[in-house]
Amino acid sequence: MALEQRTLTVPALVVMIIAASAPLTAVAGGVTTNYAVTGMSSVPLSFLLIGAVLLVFSIGYTAMSRHIPNAGAFYAYVAEGLGRIVGVGAAMVALVSYNLMQIGIYGMFGFAAASFANATFNTAIPWWGMALVAWAAVGFLGMNRVDFSVKVLGIIVAAEFLVVVVYNIMAFALAPQAPQPETAFNFSDALAPGMGAVVAFTIAAFMGFESGTIYNEEVKDPQRTARRATMIAIVIIACFYAFSAFAVAVGEGADNVIAASAENGPDLLFVFFAAHAPTWFVDLANILFITSLFAALLAFHNVIARYFYSMGRGGALPKFLAVTSRTTHAPIAGSMAQSVLGLIVIIAFAIASRGQEPMYIVFTMFTWMTNSAAFGLVLLMALTSFAVIGYFARRKTDDSLVTRVIAPSISGIALFYVFAQIIINFDILLGVEDPGLLGYALQGIVIIPGVLASLAAAIIRLTGKGSQPATELSVL
């Protein structure tokens, strides 16, 4: 029942982390949407601010990974730092959030792939047809060796970066007006009223950065690999996305970028390419946008499979979920469980989207699910910050005061601020004026399973049945 041991290196883990953030999707979709919806020019600055917060968060987070090499990461750390009852609740929030993120991306993938195929080959493939193709491929790769997935993701991520780099170069070369870095990186905007909405959008582009520690049972050096890979990935993501967001403003003109983003949305980069690049490059960029989504699907699938595995092994979920392949050592039961959930949701939305406009699936399945996931994951990160303090307060280690107290305190406060901004701006994130019952329902889908799981764990504790170590999170 053990996972494959000690095959992942720092570069391989960096690829896995960055693949989850989907660089081309983040720049084409996330950056332009941020400009359009918030109307703020400081989108590039927000990536540096969030990157700094997550770097501080990672100091304590990755330090815990050296002491607790558990594939459950978030929930295992919360269990050790804040207690088993809170840890069980965190486990369910994590599992729901990651599944919402992964499955929601099937909606965007299906829309983008079907739109491209239908426009290119004059077909009428429904979004769910393409989503099922991705679902089958992800399921197959998820049950194979993790280093095989790394090779696939490495090729995709490298191609994504290349396309964005080409765009950045072209944007500066063809800029309609002089670049205005003083506007894009105006640090006085950090406390501006609209910055809360900006960071609420921006942090979604980093989701998946924390997955490095989830592979700590499979890395070559559990004391260093996850820590180094996480730090490197955050720096790359923050700097690259900040510069690319600035390039978007340069390419459209600082005075026009917000209006252009509102008009074209995620198509902004491709409209730019269509005006200045050969047709074959525009097609290539579209294909890589689709493969970017596939890379994120596969990266999050691997994370979720390991969450199922860890929770099954610890007793928080049925034991059969801890079954691994005898040949590949992959968590096949967890992989299959995630695939089944994905299939159910794809079928449900395929039925719901009958007769609707093509963009319906983007506005619902993708937007609703991924933003709800970000809501849950940011909450988990904030809780984990304070779990770090609790863990080191009860154990004597050689970790510094900065690692044990100062860094997690700063990141915990900052992340709770971001979490509050997500709640305040949830209507903007969902793209509706008044989410009403929908907003409460989506937040409830994330929070209620955690509350119920914690209550169940508390009841079991009172009956005297809980006895195993918190690192395994057994509630039985």
Side-chain angles (χ1 to χ4, degrees):
M1 294 171 65
L3 291 171
E4 181 182 15
Q5 297 295 304
R6 314 308 175 207
T7 60
L8 293 177
T9 61
V10 171
L13 203 51
V14 170
V15 168
M16 296 287 282
I17 295 170
I18 293 178
S21 76
L24 183 53
T25 302
V27 176
V31 168
T32 55
T33 301
N34 207 337
Y35 275 124
V37 173
T38 66
M40 294 283 290
S41 300
S42 299
V43 173
L45 173 65
S46 70
F47 284 101
L48 298 182
L49 295 176
I50 293 296
V53 169
L54 297 183
L55 270 178
V56 174
F57 166 79
S58 295
I59 293 172
Y61 177 66
T62 57
M64 280 193 78
S65 73
R66 299 200 304 270
H67 301 283
I68 310 172
N70 188 297
F74 275 158
Y75 82 77
Y77 301 171
V78 172
E80 284 283 2
L82 300 180
R84 189 182 304 174
I85 291 173
V86 180
V88 174
M92 294 309 299
V93 171
L95 196 60
V96 171
S97 298
Y98 278 120
N99 272 289
L100 285 170
M101 181 68 74
Q102 199 269 357
I103 298 171
I105 295 173
Y106 277 120
M108 178 63 86
F109 178 93
F111 168 79
S115 296
F116 180 75
N118 293 339
T120 304
F121 304 108
N122 195 28
T123 54
I125 303 171
W127 73 267
W128 52 263
M130 287 300 193
L132 287 176
V133 171
W135 172 83
V138 167
F140 170 76
L141 291 170
M143 290 192 291
N144 278 276
R145 290 167 56 94
V146 68
D147 50 357
F148 180 65
S149 292
V150 169
K151 293 174 184 176
V152 174
L153 293 174
I155 295 171
I156 294 173
V157 169
E160 288 182 63
F161 268 99
L162 181 60
V163 169
V164 178
V165 167
V166 170
Y167 170 81
N168 292 346
I169 293 172
M170 292 177 64
F172 277 88
L174 301 169
Q177 62 184 93
Q180 298 182 22
E182 68 280 2
T183 300
F185 298 100
N186 182 3
F187 279 87
S188 64
D189 281 350
L191 300 177
M195 203 61 178
V198 175
V199 297
F201 269 103
T202 297
I203 199 165
F206 288 84
M207 290 298 98
F209 85 93
E210 75 291 345
S211 61
T213 59
I214 292 171
Y215 296 94
N216 221 25
E217 296 180 52
E218 302 166 83
V219 297
K220 285 190 173 182
D221 183 356
Q223 295 298 311
R224 297 180 179 86
T225 301
R227 187 181 186 89
R228 290 176 178 174
T230 301
M231 299 289 190
I232 292 170
I234 291 173
V235 171
I236 291 174
I237 291 170
C239 295
F240 186 71
Y241 287 3
F243 183 78
S244 298
F246 179 45
V248 172
V250 172
E252 298 299 324
D255 298 334
N256 185 53
V257 63
I258 293 172
S261 296
E263 179 183 354
N264 296 300
D267 286 334
L268 183 66
L269 266 67
F270 305 106
V271 170
F272 181 89
F273 281 139
H276 304 292
T279 302
W280 66 266
F281 188 83
V282 179
D283 290 341
L284 176 62
N286 275 284
I287 292 171
L288 289 173
F289 177 73
I290 295 166
T291 57
S292 170
L293 293 165
F294 179 82
L297 284 168
L298 180 56
F300 278 115
H301 176 88
N302 285 332
V303 169
I304 296 163
R306 282 153 182 79
Y307 256 89
F308 273 124
Y309 163 82
S310 186
M311 293 173 69
R313 181 179 62 182
L317 288 177
K319 289 286 186 182
F320 71 83
L321 289 169
V323 173
T324 58
S325 169
R326 293 183 178 180
T327 55
T328 67
H329 300 283
I332 56 171
S335 178
M336 292 175 66
Q338 204 283 319
S339 292
V340 169
L341 285 174
L343 180 62
I344 292 171
V345 176
I346 290 171
I347 292 173
F349 272 96
I351 295 171
S353 63
R354 291 179 62 184
Q356 300 287 344
E357 293 294 321
M359 283 294 290
Y360 171 85
I361 203 62
V362 176
F363 294 144
T364 56
M365 183 177 180
F366 174 73
T367 302
W368 293 355
M369 297 180 73
T370 56
N371 283 307
S372 299
F375 166 82
L377 292 174
V378 173
L379 172 61
L380 285 172
M381 285 189 281
L383 288 175
T384 301
S385 292
F386 293 104
V388 171
I389 299 173
Y391 175 80
F392 285 114
R394 294 197 298 269
R395 289 163 180 80
K396 294 186 67 174
T397 69
D398 59 356
D399 295 276
S400 68
L401 182 65
V402 171
T403 297
R404 293 182 287 108
V405 180
I406 297 175
S409 297
I410 293 171
S411 64
I413 294 169
L415 287 165
F416 266 119
Y417 167 78
V418 175
F419 179 68
Q421 291 302 319
I422 291 175
I423 295 175
I424 294 169
N425 295 284
F426 207 60
D427 56 339
I428 298 175
L429 296 175
L430 296 182
V432 295
E433 291 185 4
D434 181 14
L437 185 60
L438 173 64
Y440 293 121
L442 291 174
Q443 293 176 14
I445 288 172
V446 175
I447 297 297
I448 291 175
V451 173
L452 294 178
S454 289
L455 288 174
I459 292 170
I460 293 173
R461 168 72 66 85
L462 290 174
T463 62
K465 294 181 180 179
S467 60
Q468 292 186 6
T471 49
E472 290 301 321
L473 207 64
S474 176
V475 296
L476 301 177

